[in-house]
Amino acid sequence: MKFYSYCQTHWDREWYQPFEEFRLRLITVFEEIIGELTSGNMDSFYFDGQTVALEDYFEIKPEQKEAIKQLISEKKLYVGPWYALADEFLVSGESLLRNLIIGIKQARKLGCSQFVGYLPDTFGHVAYIPMLLNSVNIDSAVVWRGTGNLKSEFKWKSKDGAEVLALNLIEGYFIDVLNAKIPLNKKVQLLKSLLKKIKKMSVSDIALFPLGGDHLGAVKDLKVQLEKINPRLKSYKVLQSNLFEYIELIKNKKLTLKRFFSELRDNSRSNTLPGVYSTRLYLKKNNVVSEWKLRKQAEPICSFLQFTDSIPERDQELEYAWKMLIKNHPHDSICGCSTDAVHREMLARYEKINQISDGLLNRGLYELAKSASAIQTVIFNSSNYNYSGVVEIETDEKLENDNIQFIEENKKFPIEILLDTSRPPYREDIKSYYKSLIYIDNLAAGSIKTVNPLKLKELEQNKIKLTENYIDNEILRVEINHDGSLNLTDIKTGKAYNNLHVLCDRADIGDTYNYCPIKDDDDIVAQYLGATIIEKGILRSTLQLLYSMQIPESSDFDTKTRSTNLVEHKFTVDISLKYHSSLAEFNVNFENKSKNHLLQLKFNTGDKIYSTISEDGFGVVNREFNPDYNIEDFMPAQRPDELKTNTAPKQRFVSANGLAIISEGLSEYEVFGSELKLTLLRSVGILSQGPMDTRSVAAGPPIAVPEAQCVGFNSYRYALCFAEKPKELFKQADVFMGSVVSMQGKGLKQASKTQFKLLSTDNDAVYIYAIKSAMEKGIVVRVYNQSSRKQSFKFKSDLAITFINEVNSLEEEVSEKIYFNNKLEIPPFNLKTFLLR
């Protein structure tokens, strides 16, 4: 049997050492690769499918760019299609797509034109990867973790019908036999064992065989080694090849391959390390906030204003922000399983991304605000849904009105002075500004509205009622039980969930990759101390609940016990209801003082949970569960197993039995019986344990990571509502994230038009994921059909748009242009990109 090898190194930009230390190694590794390729000892090399490594290399060695381009032109070096190898479950679908677009653009500039969806070490795979790859003209992928017992090749289809040829790395990508400094006979023995395992799972008489591993340099004297080894392999032969030669060979065989239609999270043959969904949740929170600011606020407003020539082009600043964001998305980064130094650097990147996004958003709003007078406020709705609800505004005078709720005062420089390049801001320029809440009715999707806050229509008074035992806005009612659990009632339908929101704690003696409980460890439940009304207003009222929990100081891996020394933890939970809102919004704050434990909120849905609906990167994913599964019943894991869990990742929301939880960065949920659990904290102190009860082999080096204990202040936002249909879930998630922003008018005259439609669709099932400037003049809009039926829709806009072209994700035309007001069609679960001119 022939094994077609390809030489590669799996490059973690940062992991058990910080980025700059890894970059020093990268330079050495790249020099070795160049040497082996130019000497002819190695035919070709695949640099892990990510161009950020080249970017990092060229920052130090710009003089090598021409040599690299020459190797690429000779098909000796292959790069792309990704900018960075991101985790797939913890970042948005649009982030993954931008990652792909930037990577392909960079690779093409270097002369690379052949691409495969290379995903050798992500911790499982989202279901929509074939759709993403097809959208950039890629029809094959390399995968590993999460494939379970799937064979060496299979057809992988996403819900929209997109399909790729999936090459499954049966024994993974880390095969360093030929790099190892061991005797030849030992290499032959190890190779025979590996090749035998791969053959067993192969669908034909050829198989793909990676050579390399994490951060490894090129195999030295590869040709000579293979000449010596191959005669000793007898029935096997290892050939120097590359991924693209192998793909063509498989295609030409015209095999009948199994089709697979779902996400890849089966850990029966390879560890998927699901504990990363809740490791260092502060990173996930920062990521969600930064993605939202960039994708749904700064970029759309800049795109619209560039289209109308109202502001200078900001595309380079936006791409700079996107690239910085994506640098935080590799699996060892966003997953939280690197050294503490790595994650401190990530936080600095998030700060920078937010500074850029806020700066661009404020410049855009200021441009709009110049068309309105100071007594008016300009409001921008970036969502694809019409909005009626509470909006936060800021004015330089305190507004006195029964329909306006004052929040706070702060002092700062006026934006018009900060943006004035003819002078600096002086101390005397600092002014008082007043934040208030107003209620806006019928704010159109994707629109700008100019209002006079003092002249909005009269509101019905006393719509929000609260005592220390309940809060009620005539849509939702939240009651506090004597034990501190909550009852949530939909007042219109009478539907209710009881005994929700129970705060509980368990031991976790695992590591950054996997949760590991102590067998028969009982939940510690928070004690309810009472409630206080901290805000009472016509537009928003807030009830603050106080809880106390005695949590053991630590848990011990070796003895599998929890400390007898108990530490008191105080929790404040703010529950807010807004005027005419269908969301009960929560904010939990606590100082973590203990180590090695898991903190969760339990929500009792009344009936056993057999399935959930949660937001995927695009659309939703339906997952099946065994509600009676208990990981403790299967401990300890047997080598080389990793135990399955009843946890799963989500983007913004999850719904089970009609109860929906929406959150900001709380990316892990769990199912047990009738309970839907939301993880608030997973506190661990080691990068990777050795064998443990839930994973029988190590996942990385045993490096201490004390900051993964998340000791100190923690704060998270989440919300509850009654929703299970995708359209309603997405609408409520947009409201929760904050899709409406505003700025006080800065001009002299009142605005001539009170509402201006920037861009939306006339069909709520067609969700707008992204709006950006085209690479050439125009606006690019990416839409997704959330439904299982073909949908017809029109774009709506007051902008001077004349023509539409459908384009792929690389903005290459795939249809003739049509008139803007024509009807468009989008098949079920499809992602489409349009260029509006």
Side-chain angles (χ1 to χ4, degrees):
M1 182 172 179
K2 292 181 179 178
F3 291 82
Y4 287 78
S5 70
Y6 70 99
C7 296
Q8 50 87 28
T9 185
H10 174 54
W11 200 261
D12 297 298
R13 195 169 181 265
E14 50 194 15
W15 180 24
Y16 54 80
Q17 289 185 305
F19 163 63
E20 293 297 352
E21 179 60 46
F22 263 130
R23 174 148 67 176
L24 294 176
R25 183 180 176 107
L26 172 70
I27 292 165
T28 304
V29 167
F30 238 119
E31 301 297 316
E32 289 181 10
I33 293 166
I34 292 169
E36 291 297 306
L37 290 174
T38 54
S39 70
N41 290 327
M42 185 170 62
D43 291 343
S44 68
F45 196 91
Y46 190 77
F47 208 95
D48 209 33
Q50 50 182 329
T51 61
V52 70
L54 285 161
E55 189 175 80
D56 295 336
Y57 177 68
F58 290 146
E59 281 185 3
I60 307 297
K61 296 277 190 174
E63 71 276 9
Q64 288 284 50
K65 185 172 282 190
E66 290 307 313
I68 295 296
K69 289 173 76 171
Q70 181 64 31
L71 290 172
I72 290 172
S73 71
E74 294 171 357
K75 297 193 182 299
K76 292 182 178 179
L77 181 65
Y78 294 91
V79 298
W82 303 97
Y83 180 59
L85 288 181
D87 181 81
E88 297 171 33
F89 291 101
L90 293 171
V91 306
S92 71
E94 184 64 23
S95 289
L96 277 179
L97 190 49
R98 296 301 178 92
N99 188 335
L100 200 50
I101 292 165
I102 292 169
I104 290 174
K105 185 167 74 171
Q106 288 189 334
R108 282 178 171 178
K109 284 183 178 178
L110 293 169
C112 196
S113 59
Q114 289 178 283
F115 301 109
V116 57
Y118 195 64
L119 297 162
D121 195 31
T122 47
F123 303 161
H125 304 281
V126 290
Y128 58 85
I129 287 293
M131 179 180 76
L132 286 197
L133 294 177
N134 280 191
S135 80
V136 293
N137 303 321
I138 295 175
D139 64 359
S140 55
V142 175
V143 295
W144 173 39
R145 298 186 191 269
T147 55
N149 289 309
L150 289 167
K151 297 290 187 177
S152 58
E153 282 82 34
F154 60 95
K155 291 293 182 75
W156 187 16
K157 296 192 73 166
S158 47
K159 288 194 292 187
D160 68 320
E163 182 177 88
V164 293
L165 168 65
L167 313 178
N168 183 11
L169 300 178
I170 299 301
E171 289 298 304
Y173 66 87
F174 198 113
I175 298 177
D176 64 342
V177 177
L178 299 186
N179 297 79
K181 296 175 181 178
I182 55 177
L184 184 66
N185 63 340
K186 182 67 173 175
K187 289 187 178 184
V188 171
Q189 182 183 349
L190 291 171
L191 280 172
K192 280 183 177 178
S193 176
L194 281 166
L195 299 176
K196 183 178 180 181
K197 291 176 183 176
I198 294 171
K199 179 182 178 181
K200 186 177 178 181
M201 298 290 287
S202 295
V203 297
S204 73
D205 58 350
I206 63 173
L208 187 63
F209 191 57
L211 292 176
D214 292 0
H215 325 119
L216 292 180
V219 176
K220 298 292 188 347
D221 301 317
L222 177 58
K223 283 188 177 178
V224 174
Q225 285 201 62
L226 290 179
E227 285 172 3
K228 292 178 180 178
I229 288 170
N230 272 321
R232 302 187 184 200
L233 293 177
K234 296 184 179 177
S235 57
Y236 304 135
K237 187 172 184 179
V238 178
L239 305 171
Q240 275 208 69
S241 183
N242 61 64
L243 283 169
F244 304 100
E245 180 183 4
Y246 182 78
I247 289 167
E248 284 307 307
L249 288 169
I250 285 292
K251 287 179 178 178
N252 290 336
K253 284 184 174 293
K254 303 188 185 309
L255 301 168
T256 302
L257 299 175
K258 179 177 179 177
R259 280 181 163 78
F260 190 78
F261 296 87
S262 184
E263 61 185 3
L264 295 167
R265 292 180 59 235
D266 183 344
N267 66 351
S268 58
R269 290 194 75 255
S270 55
N271 294 347
T272 58
L273 313 171
V276 300
Y277 304 148
S278 52
T279 300
R280 301 183 195 254
L281 279 168
Y282 64 88
L283 292 176
K284 283 69 164 171
K285 172 184 173 179
N286 275 276
N287 186 67
V288 166
V289 170
S290 293
E291 282 184 328
W292 187 261
K293 282 176 178 284
L294 181 57
R295 175 172 68 95
K296 293 296 284 186
Q297 293 181 347
E299 190 168 48
I301 204 76
C302 286
S303 302
F304 293 132
L305 292 171
Q306 283 177 209
F307 183 77
T308 57
D309 297 319
S310 302
I311 61 169
E313 184 180 290
R314 295 292 188 178
D315 295 348
Q316 289 173 304
E317 292 96 319
L318 287 163
E319 181 162 304
Y320 173 69
W322 273 109
K323 287 168 72 174
M324 198 183 311
L325 178 68
I326 295 164
K327 286 174 183 175
N328 275 356
H329 287 173
H331 50 278
D332 296 307
S333 303
I334 189 62
C335 289
C337 49
S338 294
T339 64
D340 291 338
V342 165
H343 300 302
R344 287 196 296 270
E345 201 168 338
M346 287 177 65
L347 289 177
R349 288 189 203 118
Y350 285 127
E351 286 285 347
K352 290 182 178 182
I353 295 158
N354 293 346
Q355 289 166 17
I356 296 166
S357 296
D358 288 341
L360 292 177
L361 174 64
N362 285 331
R363 281 163 172 77
L365 288 174
Y366 177 60
E367 194 61 36
L368 295 170
K370 287 192 293 188
S371 66
S373 71
I375 63 170
Q376 296 176 307
T377 294
V378 174
I379 300 169
F380 169 48
N381 178 13
S382 67
S383 173
N384 196 45
Y385 301 104
N386 296 340
Y387 180 72
S388 293
V390 175
V391 174
E392 185 179 290
I393 64 170
E394 188 176 71
T395 56
D396 57 8
E397 291 186 14
K398 190 173 181 181
L399 303 178
E400 303 289 348
N401 188 298
D402 288 343
N403 295 323
I404 296 174
Q405 183 175 335
F406 171 71
I407 304 174
E408 64 179 12
E409 175 187 356
N410 57 63
K411 295 181 182 294
K412 63 180 183 177
F413 288 116
I415 189 170
E416 54 268 30
I417 290 177
L418 288 173
L419 298 183
D420 186 350
T421 57
S422 67
R423 53 159 288 186
Y426 300 112
R427 183 179 185 277
E428 294 76 16
D429 295 323
I430 292 282
K431 290 178 64 174
S432 289
Y433 284 85
Y434 305 88
K435 287 186 178 178
S436 303
L437 300 179
I438 61 173
Y439 183 83
I440 293 293
D441 202 18
N442 292 322
L443 177 59
S447 71
I448 301 162
K449 189 169 188 175
T450 305
V451 301
N452 182 337
L454 294 170
K455 292 189 175 180
L456 292 169
K457 73 175 186 179
E458 289 290 316
L459 300 178
E460 297 177 74
Q461 300 294 308
N462 303 317
K463 281 290 183 180
I464 305 177
K465 302 178 180 65
L466 80 163
T467 69
E468 293 180 352
N469 297 316
Y470 75 89
I471 184 169
D472 180 329
N473 69 350
E474 298 191 352
I475 293 176
L476 293 179
R477 182 182 177 90
V478 182
E479 296 175 275
I480 297 88
N481 298 316
H482 70 279
D483 61 355
S485 65
L486 308 178
N487 301 334
L488 179 71
T489 304
D490 183 328
I491 294 172
K492 292 181 179 178
T493 66
K495 187 173 183 178
Y497 295 95
N498 298 320
N499 303 313
L500 300 174
H501 201 275
V502 176
L503 190 61
C504 59
D505 188 85
R506 293 174 64 82
D508 186 348
I509 54 174
D511 55 25
T512 61
Y513 295 100
N514 290 81
Y515 162 67
C516 187
I518 294 173
K519 194 156 186 161
D520 299 323
D521 177 38
D522 292 328
D523 282 354
I524 299 170
V525 178
Q527 179 186 1
Y528 179 53
L529 301 180
T532 306
I533 297 170
I534 62 170
E535 182 180 41
K536 190 170 185 178
I538 184 173
L539 291 170
R540 184 180 68 196
S541 290
T542 304
L543 195 58
Q544 185 173 89
L545 312 185
L546 180 63
Y547 298 87
S548 174
M549 187 184 289
Q550 301 293 328
I551 300 177
E553 187 176 46
S554 62
S555 304
D556 186 77
F557 176 77
D558 294 320
T559 62
K560 298 181 182 177
T561 58
R562 301 193 81 173
S563 169
T564 56
N565 184 26
L566 301 180
V567 181
E568 184 181 26
H569 288 65
K570 292 283 185 68
F571 299 82
T572 61
V573 177
D574 297 345
I575 310 173
S576 297
L577 286 182
K578 294 175 182 173
Y579 183 89
H580 206 62
S581 172
S582 301
L583 282 178
E585 300 184 52
F586 295 76
N587 195 333
V588 61
N589 297 283
F590 60 96
E591 183 184 356
N592 178 38
K593 303 174 186 177
S594 294
K595 298 177 181 179
N596 299 102
H597 63 117
L598 174 74
L599 187 67
Q600 292 180 305
L601 284 167
K602 293 181 179 180
F603 298 88
N604 181 11
T605 65
D607 298 311
K608 283 190 175 184
I609 299 170
Y610 292 95
S611 63
T612 63
I613 301 169
S614 58
E615 184 182 21
D616 211 3
F618 290 102
V620 298
V621 57
N622 299 79
R623 295 190 176 109
E624 304 296 321
F625 287 89
N626 172 7
D628 299 317
Y629 177 80
N630 184 352
I631 195 170
E632 292 182 24
D633 296 338
F634 299 88
M635 297 193 314
Q638 301 301 307
R639 187 177 178 88
D641 288 349
E642 170 191 70
L643 295 184
K644 73 180 287 290
T645 71
N646 256 23
T647 60
K650 67 174 184 63
Q651 291 286 320
R652 295 177 298 171
F653 59 74
V654 59
S655 177
N657 292 337
L659 177 70
I661 305 173
I662 304 169
S663 66
E664 182 182 73
L666 297 173
S667 48
E668 177 185 87
Y669 69 93
E670 183 179 4
V671 167
F672 184 72
S674 63
E675 293 172 344
L676 186 60
K677 301 180 184 180
L678 185 68
T679 303
L680 288 178
L681 175 87
R682 203 170 73 81
S683 170
V684 293
I686 189 166
L687 190 72
S688 173
Q689 300 278 18
M692 58 188 191
D693 283 348
T694 55
R695 191 194 65 231
S696 64
V697 293
I703 296 172
V705 285
E707 290 172 27
Q709 297 283 10
C710 301
V711 171
F713 183 72
N714 291 264
S715 179
Y716 292 99
R717 294 175 58 234
Y718 50 97
L720 299 178
C721 66
F722 292 83
E724 51 191 330
K725 292 183 178 178
K727 185 175 77 171
E728 185 60 26
L729 287 163
F730 273 89
K731 182 175 182 178
Q732 295 294 354
D734 278 9
V735 170
F736 173 78
M737 288 300 298
S739 53
V740 178
V741 291
S742 68
M743 183 174 284
Q744 183 182 8
K746 303 295 180 182
L748 298 175
K749 296 181 180 179
Q750 291 195 21
S752 58
K753 189 167 185 177
T754 58
Q755 186 152 283
F756 189 93
K757 293 179 184 176
L758 293 168
L759 190 68
S760 63
T761 70
D762 65 354
N763 185 336
D764 284 350
V766 182
Y767 186 79
I768 293 180
Y769 267 94
I771 294 169
K772 64 180 289 291
S773 290
M775 294 177 191
E776 298 180 2
K777 182 75 173 176
I779 295 174
V780 168
V781 56
R782 199 156 5 258
V783 299
Y784 182 80
N785 179 2
Q786 299 171 341
S787 76
S788 58
R789 296 182 179 180
K790 181 171 69 175
Q791 298 289 331
S792 298
F793 72 99
K794 284 183 179 181
F795 286 115
K796 299 189 294 184
S797 178
D798 290 332
L799 294 167
I801 300 169
T802 309
F803 296 109
I804 303 176
N805 282 94
E806 185 182 345
V807 295
N808 64 16
S809 295
L810 299 171
E811 298 180 29
E812 299 162 339
E813 291 184 8
V814 297
S815 77
E816 297 294 324
K817 67 182 181 182
I818 63 170
Y819 286 107
F820 177 72
N821 58 2
N822 283 19
K823 277 274 186 186
L824 300 166
E825 289 191 340
I826 181 168
F829 305 121
N830 253 245
L831 181 72
K832 283 189 179 290
T833 304
F834 295 95
L835 172 58
L836 314 182
R837 292 190 173 98

